[in-house]
Amino acid sequence: MEICVLHMRWKSEEEKEFQYGYALLETQKESKTEYFIRCFSEGGNDETVLCWIHPRLADTFEKAYTILYRLAVRRVFPIHLEDVLSDMEL
């Protein structure tokens, strides 16, 4: 279930405009709550990536939301989402 979405829009140095959404999803698995992040483009591109957040990174809503917020502020592109989350696990 999608529980919140952040929307980011910015322009590159070349004046190209980017619009991305960062959604936090919550699921129940074997009586445990797990979180996922879905990153997607909002401008006609079909860039959408869904990545699981390792419980070491976020076992509560507050921690998962913090990660979601950091990804949005850093303007992580969908294609880089999995790599960035993997690097955070180290």
Side-chain angles (χ1 to χ4, degrees):
M1 168 174 52
E2 196 169 273
I3 54 178
C4 65
V5 180
L6 300 176
H7 300 272
M8 297 293 292
R9 182 162 72 187
W10 68 93
K11 284 188 180 181
S12 68
E13 293 176 5
E14 298 82 25
E15 295 297 314
K16 184 175 181 184
E17 191 167 298
F18 295 96
Q19 295 182 56
Y20 286 96
Y22 302 84
L24 183 61
L25 290 80
E26 180 182 76
T27 63
Q28 294 292 323
K29 184 176 182 182
E30 299 175 9
S31 73
K32 292 183 182 179
T33 302
E34 292 189 339
Y35 296 96
F36 294 80
I37 290 180
R38 184 172 65 92
C39 183
F40 56 95
S41 65
E42 295 184 333
N45 296 346
D46 286 339
E47 293 181 88
T48 299
V49 175
L50 178 67
C51 290
W52 176 65
I53 303 176
H54 195 286
R56 284 194 310 260
L57 290 175
D59 58 351
T60 66
F61 168 77
E62 290 79 10
K63 290 178 183 177
Y65 182 82
T66 298
I67 291 171
L68 179 77
Y69 181 80
R70 288 181 181 165
L71 293 169
V73 169
R74 289 175 58 191
R75 302 173 180 163
V76 174
F77 286 90
I79 194 167
H80 300 299
L81 182 64
E82 187 173 1
D83 291 334
V84 171
L85 284 172
S86 293
D87 288 346
M88 293 172 87
E89 288 180 31
L90 299 177

